[in-house]
Amino acid sequence: MALRDGTTVHVRPVRADDEDALHGFLEGLDLTSRVFRFFSGGVDLRAAARSMADVDYAQRYGLVAVRDGDLVGQGIYIGEGGGGAEVAFAVADRLQGNGLATLLLAHLAEVAVDNGISVFHAEVMPENHRMMEVFRDSGFPVEISSEPGAIRVVFPTSFEEEAVRRFEDRDRLAAEAALRFFLEPTAIAVIGASRDRNTVGGQLFHNTLESGFEGVSYPVNPHADVVQSVHSYGSVAELPEDVELAVIVVPAVAVVDAARECAAHGVRALIVISAGFTEVGAEGAERERELVGVCREAGMRLIGPNCLGILNTSEGHSFNATFAPGGPPPGNVGFVTQSGALGLALIDLASNRSLGVSSFASIGNRADITANDMLEYWESDDATEVALLYIESFSDPRRFSRIARRVGREMPIVAVKSGRSAAGQRATSSHTGALIAASDLTVDALFDQVGVIRTETLSELLDVASLLATQPLPEGNRVGIVTNAGGPGVMCADACEAAGLEVPQLPEEVLSSLREFLPAEAGLSNPVDMIATASADNYRQTIRALAAHEGLDALIVIFIKPLLTRPEDVAGAIHEAVAEMPRRIPVQAVFMSEKDHAAARAVGAMPVHLYPEDAARALGEVMRHVDWRRTPPEDPPEFTD
C-alpha cells in the first residue's frame, strides 16, 4: 500500500506466528506511543502481542504492516456482539503521520462489513491528538463523546461518499509523492552506465549529463574507473551521498541483486530499463515477482521493467533518463506509454511538430507505477495541461475510471488503446506481459463515460494533442473554413459534418466585409474560397473578419501553393491574424504539400495538418470532449446482487 510520502508498506492479515514480531514491534515503540495504545506504560507486552496474534478472522481480525522484513504497524478489531467492535492501532514512531493508521482502518472496516460488524468504536486518550486526527479525517461520520480519562469515538464501518472521496484523495497524494521521487530527483545513479555511447547504458547516462539536470548523476560500473569523463563507482554502496532515483541497465539476471543493493542504501525510486521479465514467459515472470517483492519490502517505488525510461523538461527539474537519441522541446503535454519503441517514435514526432512535452514516462510492464499514477501527478503539475496515453492493457480499470473522470474535467486526456483485434490482443500479451485483455467495446464505453478522447492512430493522437496544447477549447461546433482552392474547402466541409461539426452560412454583414478586399470571383459562402491568387494579406484580413463573427467557434485555414504566394508568408500572416483576433478561438492550418507543411510549422506553434480531413477530425474529437465536460457527472448505477 502507498503511504502519504509515496513509499509503500506491505499490509496483510496477522498470523499466529507473528507473536514474536509483534512483541518486538511493541518493544520498539517509545513510551508515549505505548501509553497511547494501552493507556499504561507498564503493560505486559508479551501478553499483548499474544492477544494481537489470537484472531479468528471474523469477530477478531488483525492486520500487520511490514517493511524491510520488519513489522511497522498493527491494527485489530474485536467484536462485542450486536454488530459492534472495538478497533485499535499502533504505528512505528518513524512512520507516524504518513497515513498508515488510516489505511489499516479502511481495510479493517471493509473486512468488518463482510463479517456482519456495522459499528466501530475506539477509546482514545485526550492527549492522543494524532489518533483523533486519523478518525476525524477518515471521512467516516464519527460521533465523539467524553468519558472519564478518555474520548470515545463511534462510527459506522460502511463506506459513505465522503469516506470514499477522502481515501481517493489519499491515493492521489501518495501517487504525487511517489512520482516526485522519479521526476524531481536531486541525485541519480545509473547502474550499468557505459563508456560506449552506442549501448543503452551509455546513451542513457549521456542523456542525464546533457539534459540540463541540476543535480548529480553518478555512473555505477564495477569494471570502469571513469565513464564518459565522470568518476565511476563500483556499487551504490560506494556513492558519496544517498540518491532518490536509480536507473538499472544491467542484464535481467542481475537486476534483482542490484535492486536489493538500492533498497539497502535508501533509494526511493527505481527505473528498470532491462527486459527479460514477464514478457518472456514463466521464468521472467518469477523474476519480476521477486523484483516487485524487493521493492515493496523496502517501500521503494518501481517504473518498468522493460521500459525506455523517463524525462522531465520543467524548469528546475529538467533531466532525461531515457536512452532516446534526443529529447523533445519543453511544453505542456504529459505523455505516458507502455511501449518504449513507440515512446522513441513519439518523442521524435513531437519534436518535428514543435509539440512541447512537460514530462514523459515509459512504464513497460507496469509492475508498480502505472498510467493512473502519472495522471494523478499531472493533475497537480502546473506544467502539464494535456495528458497523452498509449495503453495496451489496463492494470486497474476501476481506478482509471475514477481518476480519468476527475482529471478530465480540468485536463483533456487523449489515448491510443491498442489491441482492438484478436491478433492485436495476442501481440499485447507477448509485448509487455499483459495478462488481461479488455473487450474493445468495453474500452470504448469506458472512455466515453469518463471523457477520454480515443484516437485510432498515433498521427491522430498528435493532431489532437497539437490542437489541445496550443489552442483554446472551442465554445461550440460552428466552423469557418478559409481556402485558396475550392476542392479542399469542399472536402473539409464534408469532413467537418462527418465529425459532428457545423459549417454555417455567413450573415450579410460578414459577406460585406469580405467583399471589401477579396476579388469578385471569390466564393463568399462558408467555405470562403479566396481563389488561387489570394495573397498572404488576403489570408490575414479574412481570418480577422471571420474571427470577429460571433457565429463561428473555430477556424480551419487551407493553403495550396500557387505560382506566386510563398507558404512561409501565408503562415506568418495566419500567426499575425490569430494574435490580433478580438476573441480567442481555435485555429488550425492545412498546408497541402510536405515542403510547405514543414515551412508552416517552422513559423510558430500552431496545429498544421497535411490534409483538411485531419483538421476536421481533430476538432470533432475535441468538441466531443467539450460536450462531455458540459454534461453533469452521473452517479454510477448500484446493483442489488
Side-chain angles (χ1 to χ4, degrees):
M1 303 298 297
L3 301 182
R4 189 174 293 139
D5 66 354
T7 63
T8 61
V9 295
H10 176 54
V11 176
R12 62 167 173 80
V14 69
R15 301 188 299 253
D17 60 5
D18 285 324
E19 180 182 329
D20 288 343
L22 284 164
H23 182 238
F25 163 68
L26 295 175
E27 283 190 323
L29 297 175
D30 67 23
L31 180 60
T32 300
S33 296
R34 287 205 299 268
V35 170
F36 283 164
R37 175 62 177 82
F38 299 109
F39 280 62
S40 170
V43 68
D44 183 342
L45 297 182
R46 173 58 68 178
R50 188 179 306 117
S51 175
M52 290 174 178
D54 180 19
V55 297
D56 61 9
Y57 303 109
Q59 291 303 298
R60 290 177 62 92
Y61 196 102
L63 294 171
V64 292
V66 180
R67 175 184 284 182
D68 288 329
D70 295 330
L71 201 150
V72 295
Q74 173 270 338
I76 190 171
Y77 74 70
I78 302 172
E80 299 174 332
E86 182 177 9
V87 65
F89 308 94
V91 174
D93 299 308
R94 70 181 188 276
L95 288 182
Q96 291 179 10
N98 272 316
L100 178 52
T102 303
L103 288 173
L104 294 171
L105 170 61
H107 284 284
L108 287 175
E110 189 172 15
V111 171
V113 170
D114 292 339
N115 289 322
I117 294 172
S118 57
V119 177
F120 275 166
H121 76 87
E123 311 298 324
V124 184
M125 292 185 67
E127 301 85 359
N128 194 352
H129 304 298
R130 182 165 277 171
M131 184 54 66
M132 288 303 302
E133 288 177 7
V134 168
F135 291 123
R136 286 194 178 104
D137 294 342
S138 67
F140 290 98
V142 298
E143 296 179 5
I144 299 174
S145 59
S146 296
E147 296 182 351
I151 297 174
R152 181 178 174 84
V153 180
V154 181
F155 55 95
T157 55
S158 59
F159 287 84
E160 298 190 357
E161 183 177 346
E162 180 64 13
V164 172
R165 185 188 67 78
R166 295 203 183 191
F167 281 109
E168 288 178 357
D169 284 344
R170 290 183 180 89
D171 282 346
R172 176 177 54 80
L173 292 172
E176 290 174 14
L179 265 299
R180 287 193 190 98
F181 293 135
F182 288 100
L183 291 167
E184 302 173 16
T186 58
I188 302 172
V190 180
I191 303 169
S194 173
R195 293 173 171 178
D196 185 356
R197 282 277 308 280
N198 293 317
T199 64
V200 172
Q203 181 65 48
L204 192 146
F205 182 65
H206 174 79
N207 286 348
T208 66
L209 297 176
E210 297 296 318
S211 56
F213 181 46
E214 295 182 1
V216 182
S217 182
Y218 294 105
V220 177
N221 185 333
H223 307 296
D225 294 329
V226 176
V227 172
Q228 298 184 39
S229 300
V230 179
H231 173 66
S232 180
Y233 297 86
S235 68
V236 173
E238 297 177 18
L239 296 178
E241 65 173 317
D242 291 338
V243 298
E244 297 105 325
L245 175 63
V247 187
I248 295 181
V249 197
V250 299
V253 293
V255 165
V256 173
D257 286 341
R260 285 198 180 98
E261 185 178 11
C262 290
H265 291 87
V267 171
R268 289 303 182 196
L270 196 67
I271 302 172
V272 177
I273 304 295
S274 316
F277 292 85
T278 298
E279 78 280 2
V280 300
E283 182 180 349
E286 179 57 35
R287 186 180 297 125
E288 187 167 311
R289 282 192 290 271
E290 191 174 2
L291 170 64
V292 172
V294 169
C295 293
R296 286 179 177 167
E297 285 182 8
M300 184 168 57
R301 305 308 300 269
L302 169 68
I303 285 181
N306 183 28
C307 71
L308 171 66
I310 65 174
L311 62 83
N312 191 353
T313 67
S314 62
E315 186 176 356
H317 301 292
S318 178
F319 76 98
N320 183 348
T322 75
F323 57 89
N332 60 353
V333 176
F335 181 55
V336 60
T337 174
Q338 282 181 246
S339 167
L342 281 176
L344 283 168
L346 281 166
I347 286 174
D348 187 50
L349 291 169
S351 300
N352 290 341
R353 292 177 179 240
S354 300
L355 183 62
V357 172
S358 59
S359 54
F360 163 88
S362 163
I363 54 177
N365 293 5
R366 304 165 316 173
D368 179 17
I369 296 294
T370 69
N372 294 336
D373 300 295
M374 293 299 300
L375 285 173
E376 293 200 299
Y377 174 81
W378 289 328
E379 184 179 11
S380 62
D381 178 30
D382 293 338
T384 304
E385 298 176 357
V386 181
L388 303 187
L389 316 177
Y390 171 76
I391 299 174
E392 293 182 352
S393 61
F394 291 96
S395 57
D396 187 345
R398 182 173 296 183
R399 182 176 173 227
F400 176 83
S401 174
R402 292 197 307 266
I403 294 170
R405 186 195 306 268
R406 183 183 72 240
V407 174
R409 296 284 172 183
E410 304 297 329
M411 175 191 302
I413 302 171
V414 192
V416 170
K417 165 64 176 72
S418 62
R420 278 191 180 275
S421 65
Q425 290 179 2
R426 289 195 304 272
T428 293
S429 178
S430 63
H431 180 205
T432 53
L435 299 178
I436 300 174
S439 156
D440 205 60
L441 289 175
T442 64
V443 173
D444 280 338
L446 171 61
F447 284 174
D448 286 345
Q449 187 180 51
V450 301
V452 171
I453 302 171
R454 182 175 189 178
T455 62
E456 298 295 326
T457 65
L458 296 179
S459 176
E460 189 180 339
L461 177 81
L462 293 171
D463 287 342
V464 174
S466 296
L467 176 55
L468 290 169
T470 63
Q471 303 296 305
L473 293 175
E475 295 185 1
N477 69 342
R478 300 166 300 180
V479 185
I481 301 171
V482 180
T483 180
N484 66 346
V490 174
M491 294 174 65
C492 188
D494 288 343
C496 283
E497 295 205 351
L501 304 169
E502 180 186 354
V503 184
Q505 289 284 345
L506 300 175
E508 181 56 38
E509 60 267 24
V510 177
L511 298 179
S512 297
S513 66
L514 293 173
R515 291 189 189 104
E516 293 178 3
F517 57 85
L518 290 180
E521 299 85 357
L524 301 185
S525 61
N526 190 14
V528 177
D529 179 7
M530 302 178 297
I531 70 174
T533 57
S535 65
D537 194 53
N538 289 151
Y539 273 93
R540 183 184 295 106
Q541 292 174 295
T542 301
I543 291 170
R544 286 175 182 167
L546 296 187
H549 173 40
E550 296 287 342
L552 295 176
D553 304 299
L555 296 179
I556 296 175
V557 183
I558 304 170
F559 174 78
I560 294 181
K561 185 179 179 181
L563 291 175
L564 299 177
T565 308
R566 301 193 316 156
E568 50 267 38
D569 293 339
V570 172
I574 294 172
H575 278 279
E576 290 174 13
V578 169
E580 298 165 358
M581 289 192 307
R583 60 194 178 98
R584 289 200 71 212
I585 60 174
V587 178
Q588 298 180 89
V590 178
F591 279 67
M592 296 185 66
S593 116
E594 291 282 2
K595 184 177 179 181
D596 297 347
H597 191 253
R601 281 182 169 163
V603 171
M606 183 179 67
V608 182
H609 306 277
L610 193 57
Y611 304 109
E613 299 91 338
D614 295 338
R617 192 180 300 113
L619 184 60
E621 295 288 0
V622 171
M623 191 62 225
R624 276 190 284 277
H625 174 73
V626 171
D627 288 339
W628 173 82
R629 281 194 180 193
R630 292 172 177 167
T631 304
E634 294 183 357
D635 293 329
E638 295 183 4
F639 301 99
T640 58
D641 59 353

